[in-house]
């Protein structure tokens, strides 16, 4: 099992005033968007390129092409694909590819097959270098990726 993460905007005006039910709805919507992107774009590209030793340049170019427009349309601020051991196999921020990150509980949930979503904290935004974060809060969504080629290390 591999997983993807996306950072999506919560809303610049509503963010500070969101009540729990509205926030939960925003998280559910963001999770749905991330699942659709994972299933319709990422999983399709990974079916033909197992990521045991990293993605091929051709697969990364195809992901870039397909995800750039999708991310812009859906206002996704960051996309990453992880291996089960916490290595980033793909990111729209190239400097992250190949790095390992500690597997936090939400990432572990996605690697185990469950979708996880939460409001990103200020530390997440600094770490991700999301410049336009001042326009509102972001949602961090982790989704499992089911692809025949998902046998990774």
């Amino acid at each position: 099992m591999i997983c993807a993460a996306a950072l999506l905007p919560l809303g610049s005006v509503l963010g500070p005033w969101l009540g729990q039910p509205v926030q939960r709805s925003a998280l559910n919507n963001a999770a749905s968007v991330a699942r659709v992107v994972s299933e319709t774009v990422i999983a399709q590209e990974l079916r033909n390129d197992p990521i045991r030793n990293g993605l091929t340049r051709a697969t990364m170019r195809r992901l870039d092409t397909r995800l750039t427009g999708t991310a812009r349309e859906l206002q996704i601020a960051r996309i990453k694909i992880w291996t089960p051991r916490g290595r980033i196999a793909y990111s729209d921020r190239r400097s992250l590819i190949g790095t390992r990150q500690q597997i936090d509980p939400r990432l572990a949930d996605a690697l185990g097959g469950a979708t996880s979503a939460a409001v990103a904290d200020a530390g997440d935004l600094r770490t991700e270098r999301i410049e336009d974060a001042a326009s509102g809060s972001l949602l961090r969504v982790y989704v499992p990726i089911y692809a025949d080629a998902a046998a990774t290390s």
Side-chain angles (χ1 to χ4, degrees), residues 14-141:
L14 289 177
W17 296 282
L18 285 179
Q20 199 64 12
V22 174
Q23 187 177 51
R24 175 59 34 209
S25 177
L27 289 169
N28 289 338
N29 288 340
S32 294
V33 166
R35 273 193 299 274
V36 168
V37 170
S38 172
E39 293 167 5
T40 61
V41 177
I42 297 172
Q44 287 179 5
E45 292 301 334
L46 297 182
R47 281 193 178 94
N48 298 318
D49 188 4
I51 63 172
R52 281 185 196 92
N53 300 311
L55 295 172
T56 65
R57 289 178 197 222
T59 298
M60 286 215 274
R61 279 193 303 271
R62 285 192 310 272
L63 282 168
D64 285 343
T65 299
R66 294 188 69 195
L67 291 173
T68 299
T70 301
R72 192 176 312 114
E73 280 180 40
L74 299 174
Q75 298 180 327
I76 298 173
R78 175 79 61 238
I79 296 174
K80 297 182 207 172
I81 300 172
W82 273 275
T83 68
R85 294 190 180 142
R87 186 174 53 84
I88 297 174
Y90 174 85
S91 175
D92 58 325
R93 186 169 155 214
R94 285 288 189 254
S95 63
L96 296 175
I97 296 173
T99 63
R100 290 192 186 274
Q101 295 186 343
Q102 183 173 347
I103 298 177
D104 67 33
R106 294 194 187 284
L107 177 55
D109 287 347
L111 291 170
T115 298
S116 175
V119 176
D121 63 29
D124 289 333
L125 304 179
R126 280 190 302 278
T127 300
E128 296 293 344
R129 296 185 184 175
I130 305 296
E131 290 78 23
D132 61 350
S135 65
S137 298
L138 293 176
L139 305 176
R140 180 178 294 277
V141 182

